[in-house]
Amino acid sequence: MPTYEHSPMFALLVEAPVELTPLYAVLAGLHQAMSGKPVGTCVISCHQISGALHHLGFEAEPIAACATLYRTTGTFTEVSEVGVWKRPPILRLDGTTTGHMVVWTPSFAQLIDPTLVQDPTLYALAARDPVYSIPVSVEVSTDRVEVLRTRPVVALDERLHASWLLLPEWTEVMNTVLDGPEGTAATLGGLVLAADALVALRHLGHERDLTQLSELYPQLGALLAGRRQLPPLPAQVPPELLHD
């Protein structure tokens, strides 16, 4: 990942519709943590996002997928893929996989791909402009059956487009990545993201009017007001996350 002092996602928080600010706050926290670090496995990232949204009172579901990136010029169209769709994903001993994963959140009618930057074209662009490394989201249906039978498409700029084929039948295979310490990292990471999102939203409330949030999302409103609390983080790092 490129190195940036502040994630470009924080600028989007100021401009986003009020109803999307909780989602963007979670994504901004994740993207800020990724600065200057290797692009993590999509499985852990997606489960961290999903876990954070659940803590804040929203529905979210990680789903196996294959992303396709289209780069069009005046003379040709270049196509590349992140993940696989012709055959089941392979899980390697180091915890990486040939598959890909995204998050569907019916609470916000969005499909989120936090690691599309793994695509070589986006990765090269992100080295010059970190905005190309931010999690990508596209508006989708709130109905799961409808989402699974469509192929969402989004324009990343005037020449780049991305689309997704959702493969829920492979989600369970992808989730085996979490059988080891990665599962603990995903669970705790989701809790940390939720806590960071609350901090970001409280600060954002000084920049714009977010009073509508409590009416839209009562559980989030109770967390922001301190009437409810997130589960506590462990006092020490779990042993399985410690490295020699």
Side-chain angles (χ1 to χ4, degrees), residues 198 202 214 218-229:
L198 291 176
R202 290 186 182 111
S214 295
Q219 182 172 328
L220 176 65
L223 287 167
L224 288 170
R227 296 191 303 273
R228 295 188 62 173
Q229 303 294 326

Side-chain angles (χ1 to χ4, degrees), residues 107-188:
S107 296
F108 299 101
Q110 296 286 315
L111 189 76
I112 304 131
D113 190 331
T115 61
L116 186 63
V117 70
Q118 294 174 85
D119 178 87
T121 297
L122 273 186
Y123 189 80
L125 290 170
R128 300 192 297 270
D129 185 349
V131 74
Y132 284 99
S133 68
I134 65 174
V136 177
S137 62
V138 56
E139 186 174 358
V140 294
S141 173
T142 58
D143 181 81
R144 190 176 189 274
V145 174
E146 180 65 22
V147 169
L148 295 180
R149 69 184 180 195
T150 59
R151 191 159 184 169
V153 179
V154 68
L156 304 176
D157 63 22
E158 65 277 4
R159 292 185 176 181
L160 284 172
H161 291 75
S163 68
W164 292 266
L165 175 64
L166 301 185
L167 303 161
E169 65 272 21
W170 292 345
T171 300
E172 187 174 347
V173 175
M174 295 283 288
N175 283 343
T176 58
V177 169
L178 305 176
D179 287 347
E182 289 81 3
T184 303
T187 299
L188 294 182

